[in-house]
Structures are given as C-alpha cells and as structure tokens.
Amino acid sequence: MVADLHTHTNASPDSELSFRDRVALAAAAGIDTVALTDHMAVHDRLREPIETVDCTKVVSGVELNCSTAAARIDILGLFVDPGRMRERVGDRSVSDGATRRPPEMIEWIHDCGGAAMLAHPGRYDVDLASLVAELEMAGLDGIEVRYPYNEYTFVSSEMPEMPKTPIDRIETIRRDRDLLPSGGNDCHGGEKTYVGTVTIDDAWVTAIEARHHRYA
Ligand SMILES: [Zn+2]
C-alpha cells in the first residue's frame, strides 16, 4: 500500500485537474491513498477527513502559505475537517497567506482537526534546523521528507539547485525532533505531473492519521 500526501486539483488556481481525474490518476499509478492539498482551498467534493472514492482513499488536506522572518513557506494540513477548513480559508487568494505567520496557520490546521506538516523543506534558502525549531514551538507535527525536487529543478527555472538542504540532513533534523515523516509529489497535472515519483508507505499515513485524532 502506497500513498501520496501532497497533490493539487482545480480547487487550486494553478491546476486544472478535476477531482475525478486526480483520483483516477492516483489509482492508475497504484496509489492507494492520496491527499488533496490545494492552495488555501479545500476541494468542494471533500466531505470527511478521509473517505473512499472508487477504491482510493482520499485524504482532506490544504496547503497554507505564510511567512517567517527568513522565508515564505508552505504548511500542509492533513486530515482536516473539510467544512471547517473551508470556512477558514473562505475565498482568500493564494497570496493572502504571505502576511500571515506560521503559528496562526498551524492553529487553523489544528482547530480543523488536521496534522500540520512543513511542505518541501528543501525549497527554502534558510537554516532549516532553526526554521523547524521555530515551527515546532508553534506546534508543527511533521515534515515532508520525500519530495521530487529533481523533477522540479528540471521544469522550473525559478527553482534551480534543489534541494537547498540535503535530503539526509532534512531527515536528520526530523528524526532529532521526533517529528512525523510525510511525502508527496506536489502534482499539479500538465507539465508538473509527478504521480508516483515518490511514494510513502501506509505506516506513515497511519501515524499522521493517529495524530489527527488528537486534534479532531
Ligand atoms: Zn503544493
């Protein structure tokens, strides 16, 4: 059983994949559990923190952007209550999170019953250990340690030379702080179609789901 806990649909402004296509794409790649983590949005087809659609488990998620003093970052909420998170994000545009701080975003996620994970930690040009320490104080639950950086380097000239922090260093930071591991492809469809480039196994999903029950 394999999972992808970071994907987008047309609930994000930069993806055209419908809910049905997203689920079908995951199923065709042999992915059993897929999280929909749209930018400041929760897909309106989602009703529960996790539900089964055509034999694929679909996790309700969200990707919230915010800023620290050092960087603009993204935080994933996994297993969020769709209705409650929809109320939080309302009709705010993607850029609105830029003026918000991580503690507020993590609080939104926890208030909506979700686990808060730092997205693609290798993208930030910062001292990652300091950033993670700051986020952990705000209640961060985990880190997205598996991410297809090499694919993004290939398609995007705006994000060269990734990851900025080596993968093994990211994993060491995570383990030292006993944060939950996660992973996903950040697939948007189109030229950013990375279904199955990285996968994670069920044990990681189970641990994140258990954490969500702490907040639900
Ligand atoms: Zn994303």
Side-chain angles (χ1 to χ4, degrees), residues 6-8 37 39 63 74 76 120 147 186 188:
H6 186 165
T7 74
H8 292 269
T37 51
H39 297 292
E63 184 167 22
D74 294 306
L76 300 172
H120 36 63
Y147 189 84
D186 207 358
H188 285 67

Side-chain angles (χ1 to χ4, degrees), residues 57-194:
K57 286 184 204 159
V58 180
V59 174
S60 167
V62 68
E63 184 167 22
L64 304 177
N65 64 312
C66 54
S67 299
T68 69
R72 288 186 60 165
I73 63 169
D74 294 306
I75 298 176
L76 300 172
L78 296 174
F79 295 93
V80 297
D81 179 279
R84 271 147 63 194
M85 184 53 84
R86 241 177 247 126
E87 278 175 29
R88 283 293 171 100
V89 294
D91 60 358
R92 292 183 181 89
S93 71
V94 170
S95 60
D96 277 355
T99 57
R100 298 182 185 278
R101 297 294 182 190
E104 187 185 6
M105 299 293 91
I106 292 171
E107 194 184 322
W108 281 19
I109 291 166
H110 289 167
D111 283 352
C112 294
M117 321 294 287
L118 177 62
H120 36 63
R123 269 198 191 176
Y124 313 122
D125 196 5
V126 296
D127 172 359
L128 190 64
S130 301
L131 173 64
V132 170
E134 180 184 342
L135 297 176
E136 194 188 20
M137 297 259 292
L140 187 75
D141 297 292
I143 299 182
E144 188 175 53
V145 292
R146 288 205 192 138
Y147 189 84
Y149 294 105
N150 294 336
E151 313 296 332
Y152 271 95
T153 303
F154 179 67
V155 297
S156 174
S157 57
E158 52 186 89
M159 294 182 276
E161 296 168 14
M162 291 197 298
K164 296 184 195 312
T165 302
I167 300 291
D168 56 350
R169 171 79 181 130
I170 292 172
E171 174 59 13
T172 299
I173 291 169
R174 180 198 72 75
R175 214 181 309 122
D176 283 352
R177 298 190 165 273
D178 204 21
L179 291 161
L180 298 173
S182 185
N185 292 281
D186 207 358
C187 174
H188 285 67
E191 65 171 3
K192 291 184 180 178
T193 301
Y194 309 130

